[in-house]
Amino acid sequence: MNPHDPEHEAWIEAFALNERERIPARLLAALERCPRCAERRSEIAQAQRALDSLGAEMREDLRAAQALPPHPDELERVRRWAGVSSPGSAGAGPGRTRSGPRPLAWVAALAALLAVFAAGYFLSRSTPTPRGDEHLGSTRIRGQVAVVDAQRVVCIWQADALGDETHKVEVRYRDAQGRPHEFASDMLFEPRWEFEASRVAQAAGSFEWRVLLCSPARSTPEASKWVLQPLPAR
């Protein structure tokens, strides 16, 4: 059994829905052996069964509503709300009220639809384990090198970026008191970024940096692993 990897998070939904053609071949076997992915798959399946059960209950309620004889006053209020003329009113043909669904059944159908939508929204908002924020350890980013001197830090890398993707660099470090600090580049159009060495002057001997590939078609970026960069002795 494989340990759970953050990279699995990007594919758990496809795995749970059995959409195997969407999952990279190199990850499919790992997902199948991962106990955490199996647990998440079971959770999604349970949610799907709960929604199916709720839908069946709503359909049963709808059938019961169709057989329920409405009170005349209630029926008239529903007709006015739905914009349906009552029998014998001006402009109503002899079969007008029979051609569409009964008003109470229509209202019940609307209520059932809203209930199913609300249940799905609740389940999606109350999932016990949040998705990962990023696709970590991207294999499209490689060759990360940082050159540090007294004045500046130059970061260079290689990436198989698509035409609409941009680059971004994140830097983090801890100072001598152990307090965390971080900063990031603006949007980059080439695999290179430099910043003033004074920005990491308070780092306790080293800093870490990583590269992100950002796309307007994807809500979360692909990120490289963090690379540890020692600083020259001062």
Side-chain angles (χ1 to χ4, degrees):
M1 294 173 61
N2 288 0
H4 186 67
D5 190 284
E7 190 176 9
H8 295 179
E9 293 291 335
W11 305 104
I12 282 180
E13 182 178 352
F15 181 60
L17 297 176
N18 205 31
E19 297 176 353
R20 296 168 178 263
E21 67 281 357
R22 292 172 48 196
I23 305 173
R26 64 184 180 82
L27 283 177
L28 184 56
L31 287 169
E32 291 175 337
R33 292 193 297 266
C34 173
R36 181 57 187 147
C37 290
E39 180 182 343
R40 294 285 300 280
R41 184 179 189 179
S42 176
E43 291 171 356
I44 294 174
Q46 289 176 5
Q48 183 64 52
R49 286 194 294 270
L51 285 176
D52 290 343
S53 176
L54 179 60
E57 291 179 9
M58 291 301 156
R59 286 191 292 273
E60 187 62 33
D61 290 343
L62 176 56
R63 285 191 289 269
Q66 288 176 326
L68 181 66
H71 188 279
D73 292 343
E74 181 185 56
L75 181 57
E76 185 59 33
R77 286 197 302 271
V78 173
R79 281 198 177 104
R80 288 198 301 269
W81 178 65
V84 179
S85 301
S86 58
S89 63
R96 181 171 177 179
T97 58
R98 299 191 189 97
S99 59
R102 293 177 60 182
L104 279 181
W106 185 84
V107 173
L110 177 61
L113 178 62
L114 291 175
V116 171
F117 174 79
Y121 177 78
F122 173 78
L123 287 172
S124 68
R125 295 285 291 179
S126 59
T127 179
T129 304
R131 292 175 181 270
D133 291 335
E134 298 143 357
H135 179 181
L136 298 173
S138 172
T139 58
R140 298 196 291 141
I141 305 169
R142 59 193 182 279
Q144 292 171 246
V145 176
V147 179
V148 183
D149 60 30
Q151 300 297 323
R152 62 180 183 173
V153 177
V154 180
C155 298
I156 303 172
W157 62 94
Q158 295 177 329
D160 299 326
L162 303 178
D164 62 345
E165 290 180 314
T166 55
H167 308 253
K168 186 177 181 179
V169 178
E170 293 182 338
V171 177
R172 68 183 184 187
Y173 67 90
R174 290 186 178 273
D175 60 24
Q177 288 72 42
R179 295 184 296 249
H181 302 268
E182 59 183 38
F183 58 91
S185 72
D186 294 327
M187 182 173 58
L188 305 169
F189 295 96
E190 60 180 0
R192 185 181 186 279
W193 184 51
E194 63 180 80
F195 59 90
E196 295 181 359
S198 60
R199 299 187 72 175
V200 291
Q202 301 302 316
S206 64
F207 66 89
E208 291 182 301
W209 66 287
R210 68 175 181 178
V211 179
L212 293 88
L213 284 179
C214 307
S215 169
R218 218 174 32 239
S219 59
T220 54
E222 287 190 37
S224 71
K225 295 186 180 299
W226 289 97
V227 174
L228 179 65
Q229 177 60 45
L231 290 170
R234 291 189 291 272

